[in-house]
Amino acid sequence: MDRKSGLQKGIVLTLLGGTLWGFCGSCGQFLFQYKEVTSNWLVPFRLTFAGALILLLLSIKEKGRVLDVWKNSKGRKDILIFSIFGMMLCQYSYFTTIQYSNAGTATVLQYMGPALILVYTCLRDRKKPKPYEIVALCCCMLGTFILATHGNVSELAIAPQALLWGIISAVTLVVYTLQPADLMKQYSTLLTLGWGMLVGGLVLMLLMRPWRLHPVMDIQTVAAMCFIIFFGTICAFYFYLSGVRLAGATNASMLACIEPVAATMISVIWLKVEFQMIDLIGFLFVLSTVFIISLNQMKEEKRHEFKRKAA
């Protein structure tokens, strides 16, 4: 496969993965609105079954290597931290935000994550933020302020629970993104995700005891859960990660912005959610963060590549 066709395939796969994630959030909203489902029921089952399926598929493909992550103390510690403070909390807070608001708003609030990653890396490396990083952070803060207040500082425009869980989902996205770096260098990304989902799901099972909850169980509930587990989790992650490999991480991070767009459009068309123009303006400010960061990182990568070739 030549570079051009590989890039085109990567773009398609990344867009498909992001769209499936957006549809997954809307399916969760459908279950919350019409089937008496809560995040305490949905997320434990989603993570447990999706993680188990991924590991089952990997065990067929890679045979005995599936347990490698548990064979040394550092691997065990890292996978437990990622499972609980990354995967479990990130997914639980995201779906809880949907429960208190809607899929579009929850997804956009989670997209504060890249700005928080900027803050964290600047503090960690003890470096001053670059001008574009300051602009990105200001856009993120302004967009969140608009979404939360609609410009009226005296009252919130969304449920306080939605804002709180949305901020938690963005914070835990930082852990979810940065913490498993060493794991993914030593083990495959899918293996890390599989164990992260399974362990996180089992911990939530013990904490939430979802078998004691009784949502409406009919063909629609089963179909929505199957979509969330198979297409919205396994296929979405596989397509996105394949897109990252072919199109590059910077391109993929920009293309993944299709997720909040898809979640918003599906919420409007399917679930009849009404957004005001000021909501969409807030969305644009938050999402512009990703483009500002990615485009400038792309310029820096090209500059470093040019210097390397010239040396």
Side-chain angles (χ1 to χ4, degrees):
M1 184 185 299
D2 60 55
R3 184 184 180 90
K4 184 177 179 181
S5 60
L7 177 61
Q8 290 173 342
K9 184 178 179 181
I11 290 171
V12 171
L13 288 172
T14 304
L15 290 174
L16 184 56
T19 302
L20 287 175
W21 273 329
F23 215 128
C24 176
S26 295
C27 284
Q29 184 182 339
F30 168 77
L31 293 173
F32 297 147
Q33 284 185 200
Y34 300 109
K35 302 299 177 181
E36 300 177 22
V37 169
T38 66
S39 55
N40 291 355
W41 184 88
L42 188 153
V43 181
F45 284 119
R46 180 206 184 195
L47 290 181
T48 302
F49 282 107
L53 284 171
I54 289 173
L55 293 175
L56 177 62
L57 294 172
L58 287 175
S59 67
I60 296 171
K61 181 181 177 182
E62 301 184 11
K63 303 196 185 301
R65 299 185 61 189
V66 172
L67 296 176
D68 285 357
V69 71
W70 298 101
K71 292 181 179 178
N72 63 79
S73 59
K74 188 177 187 309
R76 291 192 293 270
K77 182 186 75 173
D78 285 347
I79 199 66
L80 287 172
I81 293 172
F82 171 63
S83 300
I84 297 170
F85 299 102
M87 179 65 73
M88 185 190 82
L89 278 178
C90 186
Q91 293 298 312
Y92 181 79
S93 57
Y94 169 66
F95 276 99
T96 303
T97 308
I98 294 175
Q99 182 177 314
Y100 287 114
S101 57
N102 57 73
T105 301
T107 308
V108 171
L109 286 173
Q110 193 177 60
Y111 267 67
M112 293 188 294
L116 296 180
I117 290 172
L118 273 183
V119 174
Y120 171 77
T121 53
C122 286
L123 292 173
R124 183 193 62 189
D125 299 335
R126 297 180 180 179
K127 66 174 185 178
K128 293 181 179 179
K130 298 175 182 177
Y132 78 83
E133 293 174 333
I134 295 174
V135 172
L137 185 59
C138 289
C139 285
C140 178
M141 293 172 65
L142 179 58
T144 306
F145 171 78
I146 291 171
L147 282 175
T149 67
H150 284 185
N152 183 358
V153 295
S154 63
E155 61 181 32
L156 289 176
I158 61 175
Q161 300 96 320
L163 181 60
L164 174 62
W165 283 109
I167 292 172
I168 292 173
S169 74
V171 172
T172 52
L173 183 67
V174 178
V175 181
Y176 174 90
T177 302
L178 299 179
Q179 193 274 335
D182 290 339
L183 282 169
M184 291 182 182
K185 288 177 183 177
Q186 191 169 356
Y187 311 102
S188 73
T189 302
L190 279 178
L191 182 64
T192 303
L193 289 172
W195 278 117
M197 289 177 186
L198 181 59
V199 174
L202 291 175
V203 171
L204 269 185
M205 285 280 191
L206 293 174
L207 292 174
M208 303 302 177
R209 301 181 182 181
W211 56 85
R212 300 172 64 182
L213 304 175
H214 302 287
V216 176
M217 291 303 298
D218 56 18
I219 189 65
Q220 291 180 330
T221 303
V222 173
M225 282 300 295
C226 287
F227 184 94
I228 288 171
I229 291 169
F230 185 72
F231 291 103
T233 305
I234 297 173
C235 291
F237 274 110
Y238 179 79
F239 290 148
Y240 178 74
L241 294 171
S242 298
V244 170
R245 180 172 52 84
L246 293 169
T250 304
N251 287 327
S253 65
M254 289 190 290
L255 293 168
C257 283
I258 192 68
E259 180 188 355
V261 175
T264 302
M265 291 180 64
I266 294 165
S267 294
V268 171
I269 295 169
W270 178 26
L271 302 171
K272 310 302 180 186
V273 175
E274 293 184 1
F275 291 100
Q276 299 179 33
M277 180 56 68
I278 196 166
D279 290 313
L280 300 179
I281 293 171
F283 285 9
L284 288 174
F285 272 109
V286 174
L287 295 180
S288 69
T289 304
V290 180
F291 287 92
I292 293 169
I293 295 170
S294 298
L295 288 172
N296 280 277
Q297 286 179 344
M298 193 180 296
K299 289 179 183 178
E300 289 183 2
E301 288 171 5
K302 288 182 178 179
R303 194 180 301 118
H304 291 153
E305 182 68 15
F306 178 78
K307 288 181 179 179
R308 189 184 63 81
K309 289 182 178 179

PDB file of all heavy atoms in Angstrom, residues 196-208:
ATOM      1  N   GLY A 196      -7.922  -3.365  30.310  1.00  0.00           N
ATOM      2  CA  GLY A 196      -8.447  -2.167  30.960  1.00  0.00           C
ATOM      3  C   GLY A 196      -9.961  -2.215  31.082  1.00  0.00           C
ATOM      4  O   GLY A 196     -10.536  -1.894  32.130  1.00  0.00           O
ATOM      5  N   MET A 197     -10.630  -2.615  29.997  1.00  0.00           N
ATOM      6  CA  MET A 197     -12.090  -2.712  30.010  1.00  0.00           C
ATOM      7  C   MET A 197     -12.572  -3.819  30.941  1.00  0.00           C
ATOM      8  O   MET A 197     -13.488  -3.614  31.742  1.00  0.00           O
ATOM      9  CB  MET A 197     -12.606  -2.969  28.590  1.00  0.00           C
ATOM     10  CG  MET A 197     -12.483  -1.798  27.660  1.00  0.00           C
ATOM     11  SD  MET A 197     -13.044  -2.223  25.989  1.00  0.00           S
ATOM     12  CE  MET A 197     -12.606  -0.720  25.121  1.00  0.00           C
ATOM     13  N   LEU A 198     -11.954  -4.994  30.854  1.00  0.00           N
ATOM     14  CA  LEU A 198     -12.413  -6.118  31.656  1.00  0.00           C
ATOM     15  C   LEU A 198     -12.221  -5.850  33.156  1.00  0.00           C
ATOM     16  O   LEU A 198     -13.157  -6.034  33.951  1.00  0.00           O
ATOM     17  CB  LEU A 198     -11.676  -7.398  31.256  1.00  0.00           C
ATOM     18  CG  LEU A 198     -12.093  -8.660  32.024  1.00  0.00           C
ATOM     19  CD1 LEU A 198     -13.576  -8.949  31.830  1.00  0.00           C
ATOM     20  CD2 LEU A 198     -11.249  -9.863  31.599  1.00  0.00           C
ATOM     21  N   VAL A 199     -11.034  -5.415  33.541  1.00  0.00           N
ATOM     22  CA  VAL A 199     -10.774  -5.152  34.963  1.00  0.00           C
ATOM     23  C   VAL A 199     -11.644  -3.994  35.457  1.00  0.00           C
ATOM     24  O   VAL A 199     -12.261  -4.071  36.535  1.00  0.00           O
ATOM     25  CB  VAL A 199      -9.283  -4.850  35.202  1.00  0.00           C
ATOM     26  CG1 VAL A 199      -9.045  -4.427  36.654  1.00  0.00           C
ATOM     27  CG2 VAL A 199      -8.433  -6.068  34.857  1.00  0.00           C
ATOM     28  N   GLY A 200     -11.722  -2.914  34.665  1.00  0.00           N
ATOM     29  CA  GLY A 200     -12.557  -1.783  35.050  1.00  0.00           C
ATOM     30  C   GLY A 200     -14.020  -2.173  35.169  1.00  0.00           C
ATOM     31  O   GLY A 200     -14.722  -1.755  36.097  1.00  0.00           O
ATOM     32  N   GLY A 201     -14.486  -3.006  34.225  1.00  0.00           N
ATOM     33  CA  GLY A 201     -15.868  -3.468  34.271  1.00  0.00           C
ATOM     34  C   GLY A 201     -16.154  -4.331  35.481  1.00  0.00           C
ATOM     35  O   GLY A 201     -17.204  -4.199  36.128  1.00  0.00           O
ATOM     36  N   LEU A 202     -15.230  -5.223  35.825  1.00  0.00           N
ATOM     37  CA  LEU A 202     -15.431  -6.099  36.983  1.00  0.00           C
ATOM     38  C   LEU A 202     -15.432  -5.310  38.290  1.00  0.00           C
ATOM     39  O   LEU A 202     -16.208  -5.604  39.209  1.00  0.00           O
ATOM     40  CB  LEU A 202     -14.343  -7.181  37.004  1.00  0.00           C
ATOM     41  CG  LEU A 202     -14.432  -8.232  35.888  1.00  0.00           C
ATOM     42  CD1 LEU A 202     -13.234  -9.167  35.942  1.00  0.00           C
ATOM     43  CD2 LEU A 202     -15.728  -9.033  35.993  1.00  0.00           C
ATOM     44  N   VAL A 203     -14.557  -4.288  38.385  1.00  0.00           N
ATOM     45  CA  VAL A 203     -14.553  -3.440  39.584  1.00  0.00           C
ATOM     46  C   VAL A 203     -15.892  -2.711  39.715  1.00  0.00           C
ATOM     47  O   VAL A 203     -16.479  -2.642  40.805  1.00  0.00           O
ATOM     48  CB  VAL A 203     -13.387  -2.430  39.532  1.00  0.00           C
ATOM     49  CG1 VAL A 203     -13.510  -1.401  40.667  1.00  0.00           C
ATOM     50  CG2 VAL A 203     -12.053  -3.153  39.630  1.00  0.00           C
ATOM     51  N   LEU A 204     -16.399  -2.183  38.590  1.00  0.00           N
ATOM     52  CA  LEU A 204     -17.701  -1.520  38.616  1.00  0.00           C
ATOM     53  C   LEU A 204     -18.825  -2.493  38.962  1.00  0.00           C
ATOM     54  O   LEU A 204     -19.787  -2.127  39.632  1.00  0.00           O
ATOM     55  CB  LEU A 204     -17.997  -0.851  37.270  1.00  0.00           C
ATOM     56  CG  LEU A 204     -17.564   0.596  37.093  1.00  0.00           C
ATOM     57  CD1 LEU A 204     -18.035   1.125  35.749  1.00  0.00           C
ATOM     58  CD2 LEU A 204     -18.093   1.486  38.213  1.00  0.00           C
ATOM     59  N   MET A 205     -18.703  -3.724  38.485  1.00  0.00           N
ATOM     60  CA  MET A 205     -19.700  -4.749  38.832  1.00  0.00           C
ATOM     61  C   MET A 205     -19.794  -4.911  40.349  1.00  0.00           C
ATOM     62  O   MET A 205     -20.885  -4.970  40.922  1.00  0.00           O
ATOM     63  CB  MET A 205     -19.322  -6.090  38.198  1.00  0.00           C
ATOM     64  CG  MET A 205     -19.587  -6.181  36.712  1.00  0.00           C
ATOM     65  SD  MET A 205     -21.321  -6.534  36.382  1.00  0.00           S
ATOM     66  CE  MET A 205     -21.236  -6.893  34.627  1.00  0.00           C
ATOM     67  N   LEU A 206     -18.631  -4.952  40.997  1.00  0.00           N
ATOM     68  CA  LEU A 206     -18.610  -5.125  42.449  1.00  0.00           C
ATOM     69  C   LEU A 206     -19.139  -3.885  43.166  1.00  0.00           C
ATOM     70  O   LEU A 206     -19.824  -3.995  44.194  1.00  0.00           O
ATOM     71  CB  LEU A 206     -17.181  -5.424  42.914  1.00  0.00           C
ATOM     72  CG  LEU A 206     -16.588  -6.759  42.461  1.00  0.00           C
ATOM     73  CD1 LEU A 206     -15.124  -6.856  42.865  1.00  0.00           C
ATOM     74  CD2 LEU A 206     -17.378  -7.923  43.051  1.00  0.00           C
ATOM     75  N   LEU A 207     -18.830  -2.700  42.621  1.00  0.00           N
ATOM     76  CA  LEU A 207     -19.251  -1.457  43.272  1.00  0.00           C
ATOM     77  C   LEU A 207     -20.730  -1.149  43.057  1.00  0.00           C
ATOM     78  O   LEU A 207     -21.436  -0.729  43.987  1.00  0.00           O
ATOM     79  CB  LEU A 207     -18.410  -0.282  42.753  1.00  0.00           C
ATOM     80  CG  LEU A 207     -16.925  -0.278  43.133  1.00  0.00           C
ATOM     81  CD1 LEU A 207     -16.209   0.874  42.430  1.00  0.00           C
ATOM     82  CD2 LEU A 207     -16.751  -0.149  44.646  1.00  0.00           C
ATOM     83  N   MET A 208     -21.213  -1.360  41.832  1.00  0.00           N
ATOM     84  CA  MET A 208     -22.575  -0.932  41.475  1.00  0.00           C
ATOM     85  C   MET A 208     -23.611  -2.059  41.545  1.00  0.00           C
ATOM     86  O   MET A 208     -24.810  -1.791  41.585  1.00  0.00           O
ATOM     87  CB  MET A 208     -22.579  -0.327  40.051  1.00  0.00           C
ATOM     88  CG  MET A 208     -21.635   0.839  39.884  1.00  0.00           C
ATOM     89  SD  MET A 208     -22.037   2.166  41.065  1.00  0.00           S
ATOM     90  CE  MET A 208     -20.732   3.334  40.712  1.00  0.00           C
TER      91      MET A 208
END
